Amino acid sequence: MRRHPKKEIMSDLIKKQWEMHSIYAAVVDNELKVVGEGKTTVVAASDPTAHAEINAIRHACKVLRTDKLPQGYWLYSTFEPCPLCASAAVWAGIDGIVYANNPKYRGEEANWSFISCEEVLSRGKDLHKVSLIKDYMIDDIKGYFTRHNNLTKND
């Protein structure tokens, strides 16, 4: 079995966030292949649960026609999963999460991670244990919210 994280997957998600101005996430199988991808579509879908991680899990489950992912699947995200998304990872059977950016670098964005991903996963470990890799490739994304907020102010 191959090991996570895979730099190419996170690099692709980070590139998409910079270009498409949305948080991105992907569900990756035990062969390190993306089986589901999502971006944040809360406003476009008029759905407060349409976070990138939720959309990626939904996509993967739809592709695999299951409500619980097979063993060895990981969730990659360009931002620390909020309590909703971390909980969904537990319920979906995700074996690990790797994320790039964290709330410390959110700029003027609200702190939607008022309960850390790590704390949610710790509390959910009796349902399903999820490994966590924090701040992976953070230097490639930590300036996003500050830069993006400055660009939109100048429009």
Side-chain angles (χ1 to χ4, degrees):
M1 184 180 303
R2 298 188 180 173
R3 305 289 297 172
H4 294 276
K6 185 174 182 186
K7 186 175 182 177
E8 293 82 7
I9 293 170
M10 187 62 81
S11 291
D12 183 54
L13 296 174
I14 289 171
K15 180 180 178 198
K16 287 177 181 176
Q17 180 169 332
W18 279 107
E19 292 174 355
M20 305 304 290
H21 304 294
S22 179
I23 294 171
Y24 271 81
V27 173
V28 179
D29 69 13
N30 54 15
E31 295 296 321
L32 299 177
K33 293 185 177 120
V34 173
V35 294
E37 189 173 285
K39 68 177 188 173
T40 300
T41 57
V42 170
V43 174
S46 299
D47 179 356
T49 69
H51 297 193
E53 299 89 346
I54 299 293
N55 288 336
I57 291 168
R58 286 176 178 156
H59 183 209
C61 287
K62 187 173 182 176
V63 166
L64 298 171
R65 297 180 182 198
T66 186
D67 63 338
K68 185 136 175 122
L69 294 167
Q71 187 174 359
Y73 282 57
W74 278 58
L75 178 66
Y76 284 58
S77 180
T78 57
F79 198 81
E80 178 180 348
C82 72
L84 168 75
C85 297
S87 295
V90 171
W91 286 107
I94 294 285
D95 284 340
I97 294 175
V98 57
Y99 69 80
N101 209 350
N102 70 57
K104 179 179 175 184
Y105 300 103
R106 71 182 186 281
E108 295 176 10
E109 296 290 323
N111 186 4
W112 55 83
S113 293
F114 50 88
I115 301 172
S116 72
C117 179
E118 185 172 26
E119 184 176 345
V120 172
L121 298 181
S122 176
R123 290 182 179 203
K125 69 181 182 255
D126 291 338
L127 295 172
H128 183 79
K129 185 176 180 339
V130 181
S131 297
L132 181 63
I133 298 172
K134 303 184 286 186
D135 300 337
Y136 181 69
M137 298 179 62
I138 193 169
D139 288 337
D140 293 349
I141 194 67
K142 71 181 180 184
Y144 174 81
F145 288 106
T146 304
R147 181 173 169 213
H148 181 68
N149 288 340
N150 288 337
L151 290 175
T152 57
K153 282 182 185 176
N154 296 327
D155 287 347

